[in-house]
Amino acid sequence: ASECTAALPGHFATTGSTEQTACREGSFANGTRNDACELCPEGYYQDQPAAAACVRCAAGKFCPVGSSRELDAQCEAGTYARLTDRSGDPECLDCPAGSSCGGGAAPPSECSPGSFAATAGLSECASCAGGTYQGESNATSCLPCVEGSYCAEGASAPLPCVAGSYSTATNLTAAGECTDASPGHFATTGSTQQTACAKGSYTDAYGQGACTPCAGGTYQDEEGKTACEPCEAGSYCAVGAAAALPCEAGSYSSATNLTDASEC
């Protein structure tokens, strides 16, 4: 018997064999003179024949006894496979809050800006409701919109009220919900309040982003007005005049539309 050839590692030979036989995939034979191959244990696999050992199953994969390849974990939606699996049968854990898990072997996916996952075990992230926003990833809630802005559904940042409108609310969902500036007032982009037109200017319509200077030959000496007044006799009014200026000594005029002292 001592003159018989020993079967090599990765092979076996039964009683009376004339040649050794390679271990099939999913099994191994460690050392020499093996009369049978062993199946790869749970958590290991071997995809090659004639192997002397098996390979550790990769993180998050499934390798039952006798595996010839790694299998994807089959976790339900809302769960994911534990990445430090030791047994070869991945443990499916609840998806963490702030992430979504589609199931199978997919790892958790952080919620993108404009969405959130309030609790663990969710398969999808929810969009931020109108009037709220979220600028960060992996969020568990959304934030109220800010004054002077609006936030549509799924907003990742507040958008400013357009010029000519304003708002002090923190729950607006569209630009049309911002309040138009009144005649005699204006509002710049992102305003939280309207501003009265300065002396020498006016607005005569709603929703203006700037006031219009009084035309030459007119003036306005009060704030927040919707029109300018004709210049006074014996005076002149340049563009944007906040008051009528008298003709200089030695000159006069009965007109009410002069724009410069030289016209007296």
Side-chain angles (χ1 to χ4, degrees), residues 143-243:
L143 305 172
C145 207
V146 299
E147 294 183 0
S149 300
Y150 64 94
C151 298
E153 181 181 355
S156 59
L159 295 177
C161 290
V162 299
S165 64
Y166 66 97
S167 176
T168 57
T170 58
N171 62 348
L172 301 191
T173 64
E177 296 177 0
C178 298
T179 303
D180 285 341
S182 304
H185 299 75
F186 73 99
T188 57
T189 301
S191 290
T192 58
Q193 61 183 9
Q194 62 181 357
T195 302
C197 290
K199 295 176 181 180
S201 64
Y202 74 100
T203 60
D204 59 1
Y206 286 91
Q208 301 302 303
C211 297
T212 302
C214 290
T218 67
Y219 76 101
Q220 181 50 259
D221 59 359
E222 296 183 40
E223 297 178 348
K225 291 301 181 179
T226 60
C228 297
E229 303 295 335
C231 205
E232 299 171 359
S235 301
Y236 65 94
C237 298
V239 173

Side-chain angles (χ1 to χ4, degrees), residues 78 81 86 99 135 142 154 195 205 224 262:
R86 293 180 180 276
S99 297
C142 297
T195 302
S262 63

